[in-house]
Structures are given as C-alpha cells and as structure tokens.
Amino acid sequence: SAPCGECRPCLARRPNLCEDLLFVNGAYGEYIALPPRLVAKNIVRLDRVAAARAAFAEPLACAMLGVERARLDEGQTVAVFGHGPLGCLLAMVAATRKCRVLLIGKAGWRLQRVRALGLGECVDATASADVVADLRALTDGRGPDVTIDATGRPEGWEQAMAAVGRGGSVVFFGGCAPGTSVRVDTRRAHYEELTLLGAFHHTPELIRYAVEALETGAVAPDGLVTHRMRLDGVHTALDLMQRGDALKVLIEP
C-alpha cells in the first residue's frame, strides 16, 4: 500500500491510517501493473533475500506494527491469542524483543507444528477450563504484561482483556467482523490502567524493516510454509487455507 504523505494522519507519522491509502490487492499472476505512487513509496531491495522468504514481508510488517503498538520491553511476558500465520509472526517478532511468549491455540496438527517450531510456550485452549486462569498461573498470578489478539473474534478480544495484568496493554490485532461488539470491564480498565490499542496494516518503513529482518535471519518464518504450489494451484491453496488444512501456502509461478 502507499500513503499519500500529506493528510493529517500521515503528517502525524501514522501513515497506516492515511485518509487516501492506496491499496493493490492480489498478485496471483506472473506480472502485475502497479500505480506509480505505490512503487515510489515501497522501493526496497529484494535481491539479497530468497523469494520464498521475501513473500513474508507484508504480513511480517503487519506483525511488526502490532508489536510496535504494544511497546514491548525486554523481559516482558506477551500472550498471543491465535496460532495462525500472523499469530506465529507476532510471536517471532516479540521474541526478537527478548520477551517471553505465550501462544494460545487449539489442539490439532497446527498447534503441534507451532510447538515443534519453538515459537513460544504453547497453551492449548481446548484442554483448558479457563484460559485466563491458566495464563495467570503461568505468570505467578499477575497476568501477562501484554496480550495480543490475532483471532479476529470478539471472544478472543475479551479473553485478551481479561488475561492482561495490571497496567498492561491489550492489542487488538485481528479485525472482527463488522457489527460485532465486545464487553469491557470498565472497573479494571480504569483502576488498573489498562491500555487498549488497535493495530491496523503496516507502513512502507515497516516493509523495509521486515525485508531487513528476513534478509538477516532475525526473523525466519520458513517453517510456517506447509504447502508449495504452482500458479495454477491458487484455488486449491485458498481452499486449503479456508478449511484450516494449511498454515501457509507458497505460490511459486
């Protein structure tokens, strides 16, 4: 995407909220024509990183923005709700900040794979009678310093708010469906000074940081790829993702 650089959010150094944000969605072809502004705003060298890894630049930049919004500090404990590709990338970025990562997911092959990748301490939500209580038990009763929802479900948002410790921050990374709402414990929000934050999209600067992290290996998401397909397999790839039978599918033209 490409912000305009002239509106109020852009001038306030929040270009992801640009009032005239230019998007180009989809790239399932051998070639794609891009608007000049998008090219100018996103000039980045990709010749020093493998194409299969460079494909993670956009989602990784989104994860970086989510972690940036949380203002994670070394030694903090962060709980990520959701063990899909973006939840895993959030865990990886948090780990680069030298944080303790708790990754909450549901039993099944995906959670087993994530656990094998060593992305954090995995918590099986389906085996727990009370995930919030479990997270507090894992943090000596305090609750995580930061919680991030990557499920995009109202119940995930509410669990993230319930689990965070006093003075903690909650990042709503996964976007919920239009028209949904969540309940907020107003007493906790006020007396425990909780910080509730939205996190949307990324910025051209974060795209460059993401490419650099992929190039140096600071973030190595290769293990998230469960399937590789040619361009004519896009429909199959999308079906796999919709059914939850893939973690990340790499399309190789």
Side-chain angles (χ1 to χ4, degrees), residues 113-195:
R113 186 179 182 101
V114 171
R115 183 178 281 116
L117 291 173
L119 302 185
E121 301 170 48
C122 292
V123 178
D124 181 1
T126 58
S128 171
D130 189 339
V131 172
V132 171
D134 288 349
L135 292 176
R136 290 190 174 274
L138 288 168
T139 53
D140 298 324
R142 298 188 307 273
D145 301 294
V146 173
T147 58
I148 304 176
D149 175 75
T151 68
R153 301 175 66 86
E155 55 267 34
W157 283 34
E158 291 181 354
Q159 284 186 325
M161 287 187 284
V164 75
R166 294 174 64 88
S169 296
V170 182
V171 179
F172 303 126
F173 182 86
C176 296
T180 55
S181 59
V182 296
R183 295 167 296 178
V184 177
D185 184 334
T186 53
R187 184 185 184 284
R188 284 203 70 214
H190 176 75
Y191 289 102
E192 297 185 19
E193 293 192 352
L194 304 186
T195 301

Side-chain angles (χ1 to χ4, degrees), residues 8-252:
R8 183 181 291 270
C10 282
L11 295 177
R13 299 180 61 82
R14 300 189 71 178
N16 58 308
L17 302 181
C18 174
E19 295 170 355
D20 184 28
L21 192 59
L22 177 62
F23 283 98
V24 174
N25 292 316
Y28 297 128
E30 293 184 57
Y31 304 96
I32 183 172
L34 298 174
R37 191 216 293 181
L38 191 139
V39 176
K41 294 285 187 178
N42 292 278
I43 295 176
V44 60
R45 290 189 61 172
L46 293 173
D47 58 323
R48 293 176 294 195
V49 56
R53 183 173 284 189
F56 281 94
E58 193 274 343
L60 177 57
C62 291
M64 286 179 162
L65 185 136
V67 169
E68 189 176 83
R69 292 284 285 152
R71 297 183 179 180
L72 290 180
D73 290 326
E74 180 178 342
Q76 286 187 317
T77 297
V78 55
V80 179
F81 289 80
H83 64 307
L86 280 165
C88 292
L89 289 172
L90 285 162
M92 291 180 181
V93 176
T96 67
R97 301 286 184 97
K98 298 183 179 180
C99 293
R100 179 191 181 193
V101 179
L102 305 174
L103 193 57
I104 300 93
K106 295 181 178 180
W109 71 268
R110 295 214 300 183
L111 188 62
Q112 292 175 357
R113 186 179 182 101
V114 171
R115 183 178 281 116
L117 291 173
L119 302 185
E121 301 170 48
C122 292
V123 178
D124 181 1
T126 58
S128 171
D130 189 339
V131 172
V132 171
D134 288 349
L135 292 176
R136 290 190 174 274
L138 288 168
T139 53
D140 298 324
R142 298 188 307 273
D145 301 294
V146 173
T147 58
I148 304 176
D149 175 75
T151 68
R153 301 175 66 86
E155 55 267 34
W157 283 34
E158 291 181 354
Q159 284 186 325
M161 287 187 284
V164 75
R166 294 174 64 88
S169 296
V170 182
V171 179
F172 303 126
F173 182 86
C176 296
T180 55
S181 59
V182 296
R183 295 167 296 178
V184 177
D185 184 334
T186 53
R187 184 185 184 284
R188 284 203 70 214
H190 176 75
Y191 289 102
E192 297 185 19
E193 293 192 352
L194 304 186
T195 301
L196 309 180
L197 300 159
F200 167 68
H201 201 45
H202 56 72
T203 67
E205 182 179 41
L206 287 174
I207 286 287
R208 289 188 281 273
Y209 289 160
V211 170
E212 181 180 347
L214 293 167
E215 179 186 326
T216 62
V219 177
D222 312 73
L224 300 182
V225 176
T226 54
H227 298 75
R228 292 172 179 258
M229 296 183 180
R230 306 301 294 180
L231 192 57
D232 58 6
V234 166
H235 291 294
T236 301
L238 294 175
D239 287 341
L240 285 170
M241 293 297 295
Q242 187 172 20
R243 296 198 306 267
D245 292 334
L247 190 57
K248 198 70 173 173
V249 181
L250 178 66
I251 302 298
E252 299 176 299

